Amino acid sequence: MIVVSQLREWKMNQRAKAVWGILLRGFVSSVLPVLVSGIVRAFAIYMFVTPNEFAPGGINGIAVLLEYATPLNSGWYLLMLNIPLFFVAFFLLGKRQAIISTASMLLTSGLLIVLDYIPHIEKIIYKPEYAFLAAIAGGILLGAALAVMLKCCGTSGGTTVLASLVNKKYRNISVSALTSAFDACVVLASFFVYNQGASFTVKLDPVLLALVSLFVTSKTCDAIMQGFKTAYKFEIVTNDPETLSNEIMQKLHHGVTRIAAEGMYSHEGRSVLVCLIRKRQIAELQKIIKSHPDTFAYFSSTSEVFGKFLK
């Protein structure tokens, strides 16, 4: 009886662990990206964008412009502007994408509204000659928030809904690039909102700041989407694959894959060695290759590496 009782208890523990595992995976895949993206986006808008008077583009930019022109917080405008796009995403992009992106938008809107009521929170305001620092900082944070949502569900709401729709047809154009193109239209509108009555140069400042922010946002998003675990792939054509591959594995500690090949001019059998290495090892591998006569090699960068790979 004791053994049976222990067996039942063990099975219950295993089921509990399985349930908790499912819940944890669901939290990491769905809830955590919403929290991270929503909080980072709200922080970028509230601390860097709004106080330094430039529009980051897209729906966020429209909300910031409306806040500048009216006494209402940009969080309310974000809420109102994203509702129609939610239905577009719901019917055209999928329920999960629409729900997750809308949840992130609601979190951002709520935080922007709540932050106004929290005492002793100082916005980061730069002098005009250093305002580009706010554009860079805001762009990095907005790019990170965008990448988190794109990795999670393919869209983060706002103009990324439209960008995702276009990307479905034109896969060669990145979502972040399309988003930046749509955002640029909003950025131009900031010329007519900020610094009314000032000179042309002064009115152009918010536009330039917004363009800097958009550029940094796009580059940050692309860098995160492509991954930071980059490498360089060498393809080496050689008649001495055994010696060369052994030397590479011993000195660089990376695996080598051998592929049988044939030279179409001489019709002689050759071997192609494929090896992935880190950037700092390029010079060392080139020295190894040069020590083997009659060897031809070329290399190219890879944007992401999966599986076991020595950093």
Side-chain angles (χ1 to χ4, degrees):
M1 293 297 293
I2 296 177
V3 174
V4 173
S5 177
Q6 290 178 343
L7 181 60
R8 289 177 179 175
E9 184 178 351
W10 179 82
K11 289 182 177 179
M12 290 179 64
N13 290 334
Q14 291 299 110
R15 290 174 183 174
K17 289 180 180 179
V19 172
W20 278 111
I22 294 172
L23 293 175
L24 181 60
R25 286 192 295 270
F27 176 82
V28 172
S29 63
S30 299
V31 180
L32 186 60
V34 171
L35 295 176
V36 172
S37 179
I39 293 172
V40 171
R41 189 187 302 113
F43 181 80
I45 295 173
Y46 189 84
M47 300 299 293
F48 293 102
V49 175
T50 303
N52 292 281
E53 298 184 352
F54 67 92
I59 301 301
N60 295 328
I62 295 175
V64 171
L65 291 175
L66 290 172
E67 178 179 349
Y68 179 82
T70 66
L72 197 60
N73 185 284
S74 61
W76 295 108
Y77 291 116
L78 272 179
L79 190 63
M80 292 184 286
L81 292 170
N82 275 281
I83 289 176
L85 290 175
F86 164 74
F87 291 102
V88 174
F90 189 87
F91 291 107
L92 297 180
L93 295 180
K95 297 179 181 179
R96 182 179 181 275
Q97 292 176 317
I99 293 173
I100 292 178
S101 61
T102 302
S104 178
M105 176 271 297
L106 290 174
L107 179 58
T108 299
S109 303
L111 286 175
L112 288 173
I113 296 170
V114 170
L115 286 172
D116 267 348
Y117 296 94
I118 299 178
H120 309 301
I121 294 184
E122 295 184 5
K123 297 181 179 180
I124 302 175
I125 303 176
Y126 289 93
K127 295 180 179 179
E129 59 268 28
Y130 299 112
F132 70 94
L133 295 175
I136 293 174
I140 291 173
L141 293 176
L142 290 172
L146 174 63
V148 168
M149 291 307 298
L150 291 178
K151 276 182 170 289
C152 174
C153 65
T155 178
S156 64
T159 52
T160 56
V161 174
L162 302 177
S164 297
L165 289 174
V166 177
N167 178 255
K168 284 181 175 292
K169 185 175 182 180
Y170 301 100
R171 293 290 184 179
N172 59 320
I173 306 177
S174 69
V175 173
S176 59
L178 289 168
T179 304
S180 297
F182 293 139
D183 292 349
C185 298
V186 179
V187 170
L188 294 176
S190 64
F191 179 84
F192 304 98
V193 176
Y194 292 110
N195 303 324
Q196 290 300 305
S199 64
F200 177 83
T201 305
V202 175
K203 292 179 66 177
L204 195 61
D205 285 345
V207 177
L208 297 177
L209 289 174
L211 290 176
V212 171
S213 178
L214 280 176
F215 178 80
V216 175
T217 297
S218 178
K219 292 300 180 180
T220 302
C221 179
D222 284 341
I224 296 176
M225 291 292 291
Q226 292 173 1
F228 294 103
K229 196 176 181 181
T230 58
Y232 285 82
K233 180 179 73 171
F234 271 77
E235 295 188 359
I236 308 165
V237 181
T238 179
N239 287 323
D240 190 14
E242 290 293 337
T243 304
L244 182 56
S245 59
N246 287 332
E247 191 172 353
I248 292 173
M249 289 186 289
Q250 289 175 4
K251 292 184 177 182
L252 302 183
H253 306 288
H254 282 290
V256 180
T257 300
R258 176 182 176 181
I259 302 174
E262 179 184 349
M264 295 307 296
Y265 179 78
S266 62
H267 293 286
E268 294 180 356
R270 307 292 293 274
S271 293
V272 177
L273 302 180
V274 181
C275 180
L276 289 176
I277 63 171
R278 304 302 292 175
K279 184 177 181 179
R280 63 177 181 271
Q281 297 174 313
I282 291 178
E284 188 174 357
L285 181 53
Q286 288 176 333
K287 290 180 181 179
I288 295 174
I289 294 172
K290 288 179 181 179
S291 65
H292 292 263
D294 299 326
T295 297
F296 171 76
Y298 58 93
F299 70 95
S300 59
S301 62
T302 60
S303 60
E304 181 62 279
V305 179
F306 295 93
K308 294 182 180 180
F309 180 72
L310 182 64
K311 292 186 177 182

